[in-house]
Amino acid sequence: MIVPPHNFSNSPVQEVICRYYTSDNSPVEMLFQKPYPGWVVIRNELADSLNRYQNETFHGLMLTYTDEFHLFPDDDPVHLISIAPEIPKSLATRMLYGLKTEIVMQGAEKGTLIQVRYTWKTDTIILDFQARSQHEEAYPRDATLNWFEKAREDIHQVFDVIVSETLRKRCL
């Protein structure tokens, strides 16, 4: 684990979804709802799940984090989240396309796409971070676990760049 978890005491994570398909195209989906158990717990449950399929390969990998931030009455959402077209230059080089409420970029792992969707409701900002393996490449067990680890790191790094310090401090 190169990028350590945030360890927020007031985590904005509402849910995490891990999904993969076995070599016979059976879908396996794991849902972790609030309160966020932390990446170590999710990773361990994912490893246990993958271990149930001996000598299998996996494809169609996906990791989704849904974060929710409650706004204060004087908050201006425009200054709390940097999303396209205001995406910082550090991520712009990886960006494939973007609208005012969505960006898509390459992940660190070859063949991985990271999509971020932004929704603003009256008193809430919702961010959906989704990492997906692009190709139908088959991954052995250890490579699958490694892909999920890298996808979590990608999502973590994008979170740190687009979520303002103001919102991050509220999670401490």
Side-chain angles (χ1 to χ4, degrees), residues 10 34 73 76 113 124 137:
N10 186 22
K34 187 177 182 177
D76 182 356
L113 284 182
T124 308
E137 181 178 343

Side-chain angles (χ1 to χ4, degrees), residues 3-9 12-13 36 67 152 155-157 159-160 168 171-172:
V3 178
H6 284 118
N7 293 322
F8 291 136
S9 61
V13 177
Y36 179 57
D67 294 349
R152 189 222 39 104
I155 288 170
H156 180 107
Q157 290 174 330
F159 176 98
D160 284 349
R168 283 183 300 195
C171 298
L172 297 174

